[in-house]
Amino acid sequence: MSRTVRNLIIAVVVLGVLFALDYVFAANLISPYYVRIIMMSGIAITLAVSLNLINGFTGQFSIGHAGFMAVGAYSSAYFSVEYGAALAESIGGTPGWFVSLGLATLVGALVAALAGLVVGVPSLRLKGDYLAIVTLGFGQIIVVLINNIDTIGGARGYSGIPIVKSAFWIFLVAVVTIAVVYNIVHSAFGRALISIREDELAAEAMGVNTTRYKVLAFVISSAMAGAGGVLLAHFDGYLNPKSFEFIRSFEILIMIILGGLGSIVGSILGAIVLTVLPEALRGFAEYRMVIYSLLLIILMITRPQGLLGNTDPFKGWRARRRNKTRTEAEEITAEDTRDINEGVDKATLGERQRDTSLGKGDASK
Amino acid sequence: MTTPQDSTRQNTSPPPPGAAGGNSGCILKTERCTIRFGGLLAVNSLDMAVQPGEIYGLIGPNGAGKTTIFNLLTGVYEPTDGEIYFQGTRIDGKRPYEIAALGVSRTFQNIRLFPSMTVLDNVMTACHIHTRQTLADAVLRTPRFADDEREHREFCLELLEIFDLARFRDEGGTSLPYGNQRRLEIVRALATRPRLLLLDEPAAGMNPSEQDDLLKLIRQIRDRFGLTILLVEHNMKVVMGVCERIQVVDYGKSIALGLPEEIRNDPKVIEAYLGD
């Protein structure tokens, strides 16, 4: 019961902080330029953490994250233009936009999940690099498709999407993504995913349906990328197919590699650094990309596992909490082992005699 | 509070002798099992019948097809011809995880632990078949999730305790000494709560004193968990010391089957091992 209460308190606190954030940003206390960077970091966090689930934890190399983002962005934008705007109007005011953006997020995530399923099922049945090739292709196909669909603007870009610059939604999606990925990773499901990364053959021999888990992780990851795309679509009110090209997928990939594959905190850090860094380097104008590349090269040489690769900042805390609950269990097992040890001692006495006779037999042979 | 033994029994209560499946009491049976890799006949029409509760040895010179047989039995390969039955259920063509769920578990010739996982997580991963938590339980951290995790953690800690590995529970699985890694792999295999345990060269790379421990361990496992053990081994001391029945394969064909004493004196076996 206390668990539920604690979780509820956490949820309330998080929602409160998000509302406060929304209010502060809306009140124009901070320069809109910084607000924009902060919100962009929030979207980047969602994308990076979700990609880490499939690339970092499951060990399947996906390089088409921008494709799923595009699917989420365009499907939700279409929804908002056709239905969402009217719905928001009928409810009216800020609550109206809250509801319509919430629904749009749901639509974007679901359509992206569906795309993930279509891409994942055939390619994840195989072991190896097929996923990388298929997702790379998927990313290209999506951009070409969008360029040729006139209802959503084609190559001109999709404009007229209702603008909802909501820090609340952006960070809510980010927080939910982090929480979901964290909870998945620290569960039986997560152990199955990590075991696939570590040794697929052994995982299967231990009863893990590897295809099913790979596809599930991929679909969840795609849905989250779709949600990230939704927020992007409603941020500027304009979508350009160019912004979902391969380079975008690559950017997200760099975020998680920089932060450390298989580290949630690392992904968050990577997302923030790679969103802020290009802006911070704006003053160096033409040298910007040079400095950016150099920093990446230096990082890869000095810390190839990424900033926080193979580390878990919460490990100590979790171990302590576990030890607390373990003490009772230990008292019982201590008794059990004593019995067992006695049993084994008796058994081995008998066996030793047999062993020696067999040893002689071996020697005589 | 159940001991691992109890829960093993609960999940996989050994059937009364002679009642397992329709295959005359065999827990594992292959019929004319054959696999061909291109022009190579790796396993040729192999017949095998393992009785419940016995320690069955599978031996043969290098390249005789022993590990291939293991891979056939665990679903890594599908036989080109012939049939495999486990407790009367036909298992050839099934995927490895399905076979694992039926109660067949294995270790590997070259240890395949999950390197970046802790000792405890390695074992807990193998509880996968018995997990009751759904994805939603995990995401929402429901009471069912908490109960399920605690149950498996306790079960695995007890298993580790039996094998004297519990004190390493938070260490990396592959940072243990070699002998302990082998033991950990056996513990992991046991955590699936199997009825049939396949050990692929468990004594490989062990020194004589570790081998002695292993002999004890294998018998202890069989008696304590009521298992059937099928063992592939090179080391004659281990095979002769622990197996109750031995089958010898050479060039993928069964050449002898019998008690250790009979095998030791079988001229065909001696010929296969020492050449003519």
Short mmCIF file of all heavy atoms in Angstrom, two decimals, chain A residues 183 186-188 191-192 194-195 197-199 202 204-206 208-209 213 322 326 330 333 336-337 340 344 348 351 358 362, chain B residues 95-97 100 106 112 114-117 128 133 138-139 141 145 149 153 157-158 161 169-170 216 219-220 224 237 264:
data_model
loop_
_atom_site.label_atom_id
_atom_site.label_comp_id
_atom_site.label_asym_id
_atom_site.label_seq_id
_atom_site.Cartn_x
_atom_site.Cartn_y
_atom_site.Cartn_z
N ASN A 183 11.75 1.25 -16.01
CA ASN A 183 11.00 0.15 -15.43
C ASN A 183 11.09 -1.12 -16.26
O ASN A 183 11.12 -2.22 -15.72
CB ASN A 183 9.52 0.54 -15.24
CG ASN A 183 9.33 1.43 -14.04
OD1 ASN A 183 10.27 1.67 -13.28
ND2 ASN A 183 8.13 1.94 -13.87
N HIS A 186 14.63 -2.64 -15.69
CA HIS A 186 14.79 -3.28 -14.38
C HIS A 186 13.60 -4.19 -14.08
O HIS A 186 12.91 -4.02 -13.09
CB HIS A 186 14.96 -2.23 -13.30
CG HIS A 186 16.21 -1.44 -13.47
ND1 HIS A 186 16.23 -0.21 -14.09
CD2 HIS A 186 17.50 -1.72 -13.18
CE1 HIS A 186 17.47 0.23 -14.14
NE2 HIS A 186 18.26 -0.67 -13.61
N SER A 187 13.39 -5.15 -14.97
CA SER A 187 12.32 -6.13 -14.77
C SER A 187 12.73 -7.40 -15.49
O SER A 187 13.78 -7.45 -16.13
CB SER A 187 11.00 -5.61 -15.35
OG SER A 187 11.04 -5.67 -16.75
N ALA A 188 11.89 -8.42 -15.39
CA ALA A 188 12.18 -9.67 -16.10
C ALA A 188 12.29 -9.41 -17.60
O ALA A 188 13.13 -9.99 -18.28
CB ALA A 188 11.09 -10.69 -15.80
N ARG A 191 15.68 -7.96 -18.28
CA ARG A 191 16.73 -8.99 -18.22
C ARG A 191 16.73 -9.80 -19.51
O ARG A 191 17.79 -10.16 -20.03
CB ARG A 191 16.50 -9.91 -17.01
CG ARG A 191 16.97 -9.31 -15.71
CD ARG A 191 17.03 -10.37 -14.63
NE ARG A 191 15.71 -10.91 -14.33
CZ ARG A 191 14.85 -10.37 -13.47
NH1 ARG A 191 15.19 -9.30 -12.80
NH2 ARG A 191 13.68 -10.91 -13.26
N ALA A 192 15.52 -10.08 -20.03
CA ALA A 192 15.44 -10.82 -21.29
C ALA A 192 16.09 -10.01 -22.41
O ALA A 192 16.87 -10.54 -23.20
CB ALA A 192 13.98 -11.12 -21.62
N ILE A 194 18.39 -7.64 -22.18
CA ILE A 194 19.85 -7.54 -22.01
C ILE A 194 20.50 -8.89 -22.33
O ILE A 194 21.56 -8.94 -22.94
CB ILE A 194 20.19 -7.05 -20.60
CG1 ILE A 194 19.67 -5.62 -20.41
CG2 ILE A 194 21.69 -7.09 -20.34
CD1 ILE A 194 19.74 -5.09 -19.01
N SER A 195 19.82 -9.98 -21.97
CA SER A 195 20.40 -11.29 -22.27
C SER A 195 20.51 -11.50 -23.78
O SER A 195 21.43 -12.15 -24.25
CB SER A 195 19.59 -12.41 -21.62
OG SER A 195 18.36 -12.61 -22.30
N ARG A 197 21.13 -9.11 -25.92
CA ARG A 197 22.31 -8.35 -26.31
C ARG A 197 23.59 -9.13 -25.97
O ARG A 197 24.53 -9.18 -26.75
CB ARG A 197 22.32 -7.01 -25.56
CG ARG A 197 23.57 -6.18 -25.80
CD ARG A 197 23.61 -4.96 -24.91
NE ARG A 197 23.96 -5.31 -23.55
CZ ARG A 197 23.85 -4.47 -22.52
NH1 ARG A 197 23.37 -3.26 -22.69
NH2 ARG A 197 24.19 -4.85 -21.31
N GLU A 198 23.59 -9.74 -24.80
CA GLU A 198 24.80 -10.39 -24.32
C GLU A 198 25.10 -11.68 -25.06
O GLU A 198 26.25 -11.96 -25.39
CB GLU A 198 24.66 -10.69 -22.82
CG GLU A 198 24.41 -9.48 -21.98
CD GLU A 198 25.65 -8.67 -21.75
OE1 GLU A 198 26.52 -9.16 -21.02
OE2 GLU A 198 25.78 -7.57 -22.31
N ASP A 199 24.09 -12.50 -25.27
CA ASP A 199 24.31 -13.79 -25.93
C ASP A 199 22.97 -14.34 -26.37
O ASP A 199 22.25 -14.95 -25.58
CB ASP A 199 25.01 -14.76 -24.97
CG ASP A 199 25.56 -15.97 -25.70
OD1 ASP A 199 24.88 -16.46 -26.62
OD2 ASP A 199 26.67 -16.42 -25.37
N ALA A 202 22.40 -18.22 -25.93
CA ALA A 202 22.19 -18.63 -24.54
C ALA A 202 20.84 -18.13 -24.04
O ALA A 202 20.15 -18.83 -23.31
CB ALA A 202 23.32 -18.09 -23.66
N GLU A 204 18.13 -17.74 -25.72
CA GLU A 204 17.10 -18.62 -26.26
C GLU A 204 17.09 -19.96 -25.53
O GLU A 204 16.02 -20.49 -25.22
CB GLU A 204 17.34 -18.82 -27.76
CG GLU A 204 16.20 -19.51 -28.45
CD GLU A 204 15.66 -18.73 -29.65
OE1 GLU A 204 15.88 -17.52 -29.75
OE2 GLU A 204 15.02 -19.36 -30.46
N ALA A 205 18.27 -20.46 -25.21
CA ALA A 205 18.35 -21.74 -24.51
C ALA A 205 17.78 -21.63 -23.10
O ALA A 205 17.34 -22.61 -22.52
CB ALA A 205 19.80 -22.22 -24.44
N MET A 206 17.77 -20.41 -22.54
CA MET A 206 17.23 -20.22 -21.19
C MET A 206 15.74 -19.87 -21.26
O MET A 206 15.15 -19.42 -20.28
CB MET A 206 17.98 -19.10 -20.46
CG MET A 206 19.41 -19.48 -20.13
SD MET A 206 19.51 -20.97 -19.14
CE MET A 206 20.53 -21.98 -20.20
N VAL A 208 14.09 -17.67 -23.44
CA VAL A 208 13.65 -16.35 -23.87
C VAL A 208 13.26 -16.41 -25.35
O VAL A 208 14.08 -16.81 -26.19
CB VAL A 208 14.76 -15.29 -23.67
CG1 VAL A 208 14.32 -13.95 -24.22
CG2 VAL A 208 15.12 -15.17 -22.21
N ASN A 209 12.04 -16.04 -25.65
CA ASN A 209 11.60 -15.99 -27.04
C ASN A 209 12.20 -14.72 -27.66
O ASN A 209 11.60 -13.64 -27.61
CB ASN A 209 10.07 -15.95 -27.07
CG ASN A 209 9.54 -15.94 -28.48
OD1 ASN A 209 10.27 -15.73 -29.44
ND2 ASN A 209 8.24 -16.17 -28.60
N TYR A 213 10.71 -10.69 -28.05
CA TYR A 213 11.20 -9.59 -27.21
C TYR A 213 11.87 -8.50 -28.02
O TYR A 213 11.74 -7.32 -27.71
CB TYR A 213 12.12 -10.13 -26.10
CG TYR A 213 11.29 -10.70 -24.99
CD1 TYR A 213 10.94 -12.03 -24.96
CD2 TYR A 213 10.79 -9.87 -24.01
CE1 TYR A 213 10.14 -12.54 -23.97
CE2 TYR A 213 9.99 -10.35 -23.01
CZ TYR A 213 9.66 -11.70 -22.99
OH TYR A 213 8.86 -12.17 -22.01
N ARG A 322 17.91 -3.21 -1.74
CA ARG A 322 17.69 -4.64 -1.87
C ARG A 322 18.19 -5.36 -0.62
O ARG A 322 17.55 -6.25 -0.10
CB ARG A 322 18.40 -5.16 -3.10
CG ARG A 322 17.58 -6.17 -3.84
CD ARG A 322 18.19 -6.55 -5.15
NE ARG A 322 19.62 -6.59 -5.16
CZ ARG A 322 20.35 -6.14 -6.18
NH1 ARG A 322 19.77 -5.61 -7.20
NH2 ARG A 322 21.66 -6.22 -6.14
N ARG A 326 16.50 -8.08 2.06
CA ARG A 326 17.03 -9.42 1.93
C ARG A 326 17.30 -10.09 3.28
O ARG A 326 17.31 -11.30 3.39
CB ARG A 326 18.32 -9.38 1.13
CG ARG A 326 18.74 -10.74 0.63
CD ARG A 326 20.03 -10.67 -0.09
NE ARG A 326 19.92 -10.07 -1.39
CZ ARG A 326 20.84 -9.29 -1.93
NH1 ARG A 326 21.91 -8.99 -1.24
NH2 ARG A 326 20.69 -8.79 -3.11
N GLU A 330 17.59 -14.11 4.20
CA GLU A 330 18.87 -14.72 4.48
C GLU A 330 18.82 -15.64 5.70
O GLU A 330 19.41 -16.70 5.71
CB GLU A 330 19.89 -13.61 4.74
CG GLU A 330 21.23 -13.93 4.16
CD GLU A 330 21.80 -12.71 3.47
OE1 GLU A 330 22.30 -11.86 4.21
OE2 GLU A 330 21.67 -12.60 2.24
N THR A 333 17.44 -18.93 4.64
CA THR A 333 18.31 -19.73 3.78
C THR A 333 19.52 -20.25 4.56
O THR A 333 20.04 -21.31 4.24
CB THR A 333 18.81 -18.92 2.57
OG1 THR A 333 19.17 -17.63 3.03
CG2 THR A 333 17.77 -18.86 1.50
N ASP A 336 18.60 -23.51 5.84
CA ASP A 336 18.49 -24.46 4.73
C ASP A 336 19.85 -24.98 4.33
O ASP A 336 20.06 -26.18 4.20
CB ASP A 336 17.86 -23.78 3.51
CG ASP A 336 16.36 -23.69 3.66
OD1 ASP A 336 15.88 -24.18 4.69
OD2 ASP A 336 15.71 -23.15 2.75
N THR A 337 20.80 -24.05 4.16
CA THR A 337 22.11 -24.47 3.66
C THR A 337 22.80 -25.37 4.66
O THR A 337 23.53 -26.27 4.27
CB THR A 337 23.02 -23.27 3.37
OG1 THR A 337 22.69 -22.25 4.29
CG2 THR A 337 22.85 -22.80 1.95
N ILE A 340 21.57 -28.72 4.05
CA ILE A 340 22.06 -29.23 2.77
C ILE A 340 23.51 -29.65 2.90
O ILE A 340 23.91 -30.73 2.48
CB ILE A 340 21.92 -28.14 1.68
CG1 ILE A 340 20.44 -27.87 1.44
CG2 ILE A 340 22.61 -28.56 0.40
CD1 ILE A 340 20.16 -26.48 0.96
N VAL A 344 25.17 -33.12 2.03
CA VAL A 344 26.21 -33.29 1.02
C VAL A 344 27.41 -33.99 1.61
O VAL A 344 27.99 -34.89 1.01
CB VAL A 344 26.62 -31.91 0.45
CG1 VAL A 344 27.85 -32.04 -0.41
CG2 VAL A 344 25.47 -31.31 -0.34
N THR A 348 28.91 -37.24 0.07
CA THR A 348 30.24 -37.27 -0.53
C THR A 348 31.13 -38.31 0.12
O THR A 348 32.02 -38.85 -0.52
CB THR A 348 30.92 -35.90 -0.43
OG1 THR A 348 30.69 -35.39 0.87
CG2 THR A 348 30.39 -34.96 -1.48
N GLU A 351 30.55 -41.26 -1.76
CA GLU A 351 31.06 -41.11 -3.11
C GLU A 351 32.57 -41.21 -3.17
O GLU A 351 33.13 -41.74 -4.12
CB GLU A 351 30.63 -39.75 -3.68
CG GLU A 351 29.25 -39.81 -4.26
CD GLU A 351 28.64 -38.45 -4.41
OE1 GLU A 351 29.40 -37.46 -4.36
OE2 GLU A 351 27.42 -38.37 -4.56
N LEU A 358 37.09 -46.24 -8.55
CA LEU A 358 37.07 -45.93 -9.98
C LEU A 358 38.42 -45.42 -10.42
O LEU A 358 38.89 -45.72 -11.51
CB LEU A 358 35.99 -44.89 -10.28
CG LEU A 358 34.61 -45.48 -10.40
CD1 LEU A 358 33.56 -44.42 -10.19
CD2 LEU A 358 34.44 -46.14 -11.76
N ASP A 362 40.74 -46.78 -13.36
CA ASP A 362 41.30 -45.97 -14.43
C ASP A 362 42.79 -46.19 -14.58
O ASP A 362 43.30 -46.30 -15.68
CB ASP A 362 41.05 -44.48 -14.10
CG ASP A 362 39.81 -44.00 -14.83
OD1 ASP A 362 39.20 -44.84 -15.51
OD2 ASP A 362 39.48 -42.82 -14.71
N ARG B 95 11.41 -24.41 -31.52
CA ARG B 95 12.47 -23.43 -31.26
C ARG B 95 13.08 -23.70 -29.89
O ARG B 95 12.42 -24.25 -29.00
CB ARG B 95 11.87 -22.02 -31.31
CG ARG B 95 11.08 -21.72 -32.56
CD ARG B 95 11.90 -21.01 -33.60
NE ARG B 95 12.36 -19.72 -33.12
CZ ARG B 95 13.55 -19.23 -33.41
NH1 ARG B 95 14.40 -19.93 -34.12
NH2 ARG B 95 13.90 -18.04 -32.98
N PRO B 96 14.35 -23.27 -29.71
CA PRO B 96 15.03 -23.56 -28.44
C PRO B 96 14.24 -23.10 -27.21
O PRO B 96 14.21 -23.82 -26.20
CB PRO B 96 16.34 -22.79 -28.56
CG PRO B 96 16.59 -22.69 -30.01
CD PRO B 96 15.26 -22.64 -30.68
N TYR B 97 13.61 -21.92 -27.26
CA TYR B 97 12.91 -21.46 -26.06
C TYR B 97 11.69 -22.30 -25.75
O TYR B 97 11.32 -22.47 -24.59
CB TYR B 97 12.55 -19.97 -26.19
CG TYR B 97 11.51 -19.66 -27.24
CD1 TYR B 97 10.16 -19.72 -26.92
CD2 TYR B 97 11.87 -19.31 -28.53
CE1 TYR B 97 9.20 -19.45 -27.88
CE2 TYR B 97 10.93 -19.04 -29.49
CZ TYR B 97 9.59 -19.11 -29.16
OH TYR B 97 8.65 -18.85 -30.10
N ALA B 100 13.05 -25.32 -24.06
CA ALA B 100 13.43 -24.95 -22.69
C ALA B 100 12.18 -24.90 -21.81
O ALA B 100 12.21 -25.33 -20.65
CB ALA B 100 14.14 -23.60 -22.69
N ARG B 106 20.30 -26.54 -20.62
CA ARG B 106 21.64 -26.96 -21.03
C ARG B 106 22.72 -25.98 -20.58
O ARG B 106 22.44 -24.84 -20.23
CB ARG B 106 21.70 -27.07 -22.55
CG ARG B 106 21.68 -25.72 -23.24
CD ARG B 106 21.87 -25.83 -24.71
NE ARG B 106 23.23 -26.25 -25.03
CZ ARG B 106 23.69 -26.34 -26.27
NH1 ARG B 106 22.94 -26.04 -27.29
NH2 ARG B 106 24.93 -26.71 -26.49
N ARG B 112 28.86 -19.73 -21.85
CA ARG B 112 28.11 -18.61 -22.42
C ARG B 112 27.27 -17.94 -21.36
O ARG B 112 26.05 -17.98 -21.39
CB ARG B 112 27.20 -19.13 -23.54
CG ARG B 112 27.91 -19.36 -24.84
CD ARG B 112 26.99 -20.03 -25.81
NE ARG B 112 27.57 -20.07 -27.14
CZ ARG B 112 27.41 -19.12 -28.06
NH1 ARG B 112 26.69 -18.06 -27.80
NH2 ARG B 112 27.97 -19.24 -29.24
N PHE B 114 26.07 -14.38 -19.42
CA PHE B 114 25.82 -13.04 -19.93
C PHE B 114 26.85 -12.11 -19.30
O PHE B 114 26.76 -11.80 -18.10
CB PHE B 114 24.39 -12.60 -19.60
CG PHE B 114 23.35 -13.58 -20.09
CD1 PHE B 114 22.44 -14.14 -19.23
CD2 PHE B 114 23.30 -13.93 -21.43
CE1 PHE B 114 21.49 -15.04 -19.69
CE2 PHE B 114 22.36 -14.83 -21.90
CZ PHE B 114 21.45 -15.38 -21.02
N PRO B 115 27.85 -11.66 -20.07
CA PRO B 115 29.04 -11.03 -19.48
C PRO B 115 28.77 -9.80 -18.60
O PRO B 115 29.35 -9.68 -17.53
CB PRO B 115 29.88 -10.64 -20.68
CG PRO B 115 29.37 -11.44 -21.82
CD PRO B 115 27.93 -11.73 -21.53
N SER B 116 27.90 -8.90 -19.04
CA SER B 116 27.80 -7.66 -18.27
C SER B 116 26.75 -7.76 -17.16
O SER B 116 26.49 -6.79 -16.46
CB SER B 116 27.48 -6.48 -19.20
OG SER B 116 26.12 -6.50 -19.55
N MET B 117 26.16 -8.93 -16.99
CA MET B 117 25.17 -9.09 -15.91
C MET B 117 25.85 -9.61 -14.66
O MET B 117 26.85 -10.31 -14.72
CB MET B 117 24.11 -10.11 -16.33
CG MET B 117 23.09 -9.59 -17.30
SD MET B 117 21.83 -10.85 -17.43
CE MET B 117 20.76 -10.09 -18.59
N HIS B 128 12.93 -16.92 -16.58
CA HIS B 128 12.03 -16.26 -17.50
C HIS B 128 10.75 -17.04 -17.79
O HIS B 128 9.66 -16.49 -17.86
CB HIS B 128 12.76 -15.98 -18.80
CG HIS B 128 12.05 -15.01 -19.63
ND1 HIS B 128 12.12 -13.66 -19.40
CD2 HIS B 128 11.18 -15.18 -20.62
CE1 HIS B 128 11.34 -13.05 -20.24
NE2 HIS B 128 10.75 -13.95 -21.00
N GLN B 133 4.88 -11.83 -14.23
CA GLN B 133 4.67 -10.40 -14.48
C GLN B 133 4.52 -10.15 -15.98
O GLN B 133 5.19 -10.76 -16.80
CB GLN B 133 5.85 -9.60 -13.94
CG GLN B 133 7.19 -10.11 -14.43
CD GLN B 133 8.33 -9.26 -13.96
OE1 GLN B 133 8.50 -8.14 -14.37
NE2 GLN B 133 9.16 -9.81 -13.08
N ALA B 138 5.36 -4.59 -15.18
CA ALA B 138 6.71 -4.04 -15.02
C ALA B 138 6.69 -2.52 -15.15
O ALA B 138 7.32 -1.82 -14.37
CB ALA B 138 7.64 -4.66 -16.06
N VAL B 139 5.96 -2.02 -16.15
CA VAL B 139 5.95 -0.58 -16.39
C VAL B 139 5.25 0.14 -15.23
O VAL B 139 5.72 1.18 -14.76
CB VAL B 139 5.26 -0.26 -17.73
CG1 VAL B 139 5.01 1.23 -17.86
CG2 VAL B 139 6.11 -0.75 -18.88
N ARG B 141 4.81 -1.08 -12.21
CA ARG B 141 5.32 -1.55 -10.90
C ARG B 141 4.17 -2.01 -10.00
O ARG B 141 4.01 -1.50 -8.88
CB ARG B 141 6.13 -0.46 -10.20
CG ARG B 141 7.34 0.00 -10.97
CD ARG B 141 8.53 -0.86 -10.66
NE ARG B 141 9.21 -1.23 -11.89
CZ ARG B 141 10.46 -1.62 -11.96
NH1 ARG B 141 11.18 -1.73 -10.90
NH2 ARG B 141 11.00 -1.96 -13.10
N PHE B 145 4.16 -7.43 -9.84
CA PHE B 145 5.55 -7.32 -10.27
C PHE B 145 6.48 -7.51 -9.08
O PHE B 145 7.43 -8.29 -9.12
CB PHE B 145 5.78 -5.95 -10.92
CG PHE B 145 7.23 -5.62 -11.12
CD1 PHE B 145 7.93 -6.12 -12.19
CD2 PHE B 145 7.90 -4.80 -10.21
CE1 PHE B 145 9.25 -5.82 -12.37
CE2 PHE B 145 9.24 -4.51 -10.38
CZ PHE B 145 9.92 -5.02 -11.47
N GLU B 149 9.14 -10.56 -8.69
CA GLU B 149 10.57 -10.31 -8.62
C GLU B 149 11.16 -10.88 -7.33
O GLU B 149 12.20 -11.51 -7.35
CB GLU B 149 10.86 -8.79 -8.65
CG GLU B 149 10.70 -8.17 -10.00
CD GLU B 149 11.84 -8.51 -10.95
OE1 GLU B 149 12.93 -7.96 -10.79
OE2 GLU B 149 11.62 -9.34 -11.84
N ARG B 153 13.94 -13.73 -7.03
CA ARG B 153 15.22 -13.37 -6.42
C ARG B 153 15.54 -14.35 -5.30
O ARG B 153 16.65 -14.85 -5.19
CB ARG B 153 15.20 -11.93 -5.91
CG ARG B 153 16.54 -11.50 -5.35
CD ARG B 153 16.54 -10.04 -4.99
NE ARG B 153 16.21 -9.21 -6.14
CZ ARG B 153 15.23 -8.33 -6.16
NH1 ARG B 153 14.50 -8.13 -5.08
NH2 ARG B 153 15.00 -7.62 -7.24
N LEU B 157 18.64 -16.87 -5.22
CA LEU B 157 19.65 -16.76 -4.15
C LEU B 157 19.82 -18.10 -3.44
O LEU B 157 20.93 -18.48 -3.09
CB LEU B 157 19.24 -15.68 -3.15
CG LEU B 157 19.60 -14.26 -3.59
CD1 LEU B 157 18.97 -13.23 -2.67
CD2 LEU B 157 21.11 -14.08 -3.62
N GLU B 158 18.71 -18.80 -3.26
CA GLU B 158 18.82 -20.11 -2.62
C GLU B 158 19.59 -21.09 -3.50
O GLU B 158 20.43 -21.84 -3.01
CB GLU B 158 17.43 -20.66 -2.31
CG GLU B 158 16.82 -19.99 -1.10
CD GLU B 158 15.33 -20.26 -0.99
OE1 GLU B 158 14.95 -21.43 -1.18
OE2 GLU B 158 14.58 -19.32 -0.72
N GLU B 161 23.08 -20.24 -3.22
CA GLU B 161 23.56 -20.63 -1.90
C GLU B 161 23.96 -22.11 -1.90
O GLU B 161 25.01 -22.49 -1.38
CB GLU B 161 22.44 -20.37 -0.88
CG GLU B 161 22.88 -20.30 0.56
CD GLU B 161 23.62 -19.00 0.87
OE1 GLU B 161 23.05 -17.91 0.69
OE2 GLU B 161 24.79 -19.11 1.28
N ARG B 169 26.99 -12.71 -5.56
CA ARG B 169 25.79 -12.38 -6.33
C ARG B 169 25.85 -11.05 -7.06
O ARG B 169 25.28 -10.90 -8.13
CB ARG B 169 24.56 -12.40 -5.42
CG ARG B 169 24.62 -11.35 -4.32
CD ARG B 169 23.51 -11.56 -3.33
NE ARG B 169 23.87 -10.88 -2.10
CZ ARG B 169 23.50 -11.29 -0.90
NH1 ARG B 169 22.77 -12.37 -0.77
NH2 ARG B 169 23.86 -10.62 0.16
N ASP B 170 26.54 -10.06 -6.50
CA ASP B 170 26.58 -8.75 -7.16
C ASP B 170 27.82 -8.55 -8.02
O ASP B 170 28.04 -7.47 -8.55
CB ASP B 170 26.47 -7.63 -6.12
CG ASP B 170 25.08 -7.59 -5.50
OD1 ASP B 170 24.10 -7.88 -6.23
OD2 ASP B 170 24.95 -7.30 -4.30
N LYS B 216 31.04 -34.82 -7.77
CA LYS B 216 30.12 -34.77 -6.63
C LYS B 216 28.92 -33.93 -6.98
O LYS B 216 27.78 -34.30 -6.71
CB LYS B 216 30.82 -34.14 -5.41
CG LYS B 216 31.81 -35.03 -4.74
CD LYS B 216 32.44 -34.26 -3.59
CE LYS B 216 33.92 -34.59 -3.47
NZ LYS B 216 34.68 -33.50 -2.89
N ARG B 219 26.20 -35.54 -9.25
CA ARG B 219 25.35 -36.51 -8.54
C ARG B 219 24.42 -35.80 -7.57
O ARG B 219 23.25 -36.12 -7.45
CB ARG B 219 26.21 -37.50 -7.76
CG ARG B 219 26.67 -38.62 -8.64
CD ARG B 219 27.18 -39.77 -7.78
NE ARG B 219 28.28 -40.37 -8.49
CZ ARG B 219 29.54 -40.17 -8.20
NH1 ARG B 219 29.87 -39.41 -7.17
NH2 ARG B 219 30.49 -40.72 -8.91
N GLN B 220 24.99 -34.79 -6.91
CA GLN B 220 24.21 -34.02 -5.94
C GLN B 220 23.01 -33.36 -6.63
O GLN B 220 21.90 -33.39 -6.12
CB GLN B 220 25.14 -32.97 -5.35
CG GLN B 220 24.58 -32.17 -4.21
CD GLN B 220 25.45 -30.94 -3.95
OE1 GLN B 220 26.63 -30.93 -4.25
NE2 GLN B 220 24.84 -29.90 -3.41
N ARG B 224 19.21 -34.20 -5.67
CA ARG B 224 18.48 -33.15 -5.00
C ARG B 224 17.30 -32.64 -5.82
O ARG B 224 16.24 -32.36 -5.29
CB ARG B 224 19.43 -31.99 -4.71
CG ARG B 224 18.84 -31.01 -3.76
CD ARG B 224 19.77 -29.88 -3.49
NE ARG B 224 18.97 -28.74 -3.09
CZ ARG B 224 18.49 -28.55 -1.88
NH1 ARG B 224 18.75 -29.42 -0.93
NH2 ARG B 224 17.76 -27.50 -1.59
N LYS B 237 37.81 -39.82 -16.86
CA LYS B 237 37.64 -39.95 -15.41
C LYS B 237 36.24 -39.49 -15.02
O LYS B 237 35.55 -40.14 -14.24
CB LYS B 237 38.70 -39.09 -14.71
CG LYS B 237 38.69 -39.25 -13.21
CD LYS B 237 39.83 -38.45 -12.60
CE LYS B 237 39.43 -37.86 -11.27
NZ LYS B 237 40.32 -36.76 -10.89
N ARG B 264 34.22 -49.56 -21.31
CA ARG B 264 35.67 -49.52 -21.11
C ARG B 264 36.35 -50.67 -21.84
O ARG B 264 37.45 -50.54 -22.34
CB ARG B 264 35.96 -49.62 -19.61
CG ARG B 264 37.32 -49.11 -19.21
CD ARG B 264 37.67 -49.61 -17.83
NE ARG B 264 36.73 -49.16 -16.79
CZ ARG B 264 36.89 -48.02 -16.11
NH1 ARG B 264 37.89 -47.24 -16.35
NH2 ARG B 264 36.02 -47.71 -15.19
#
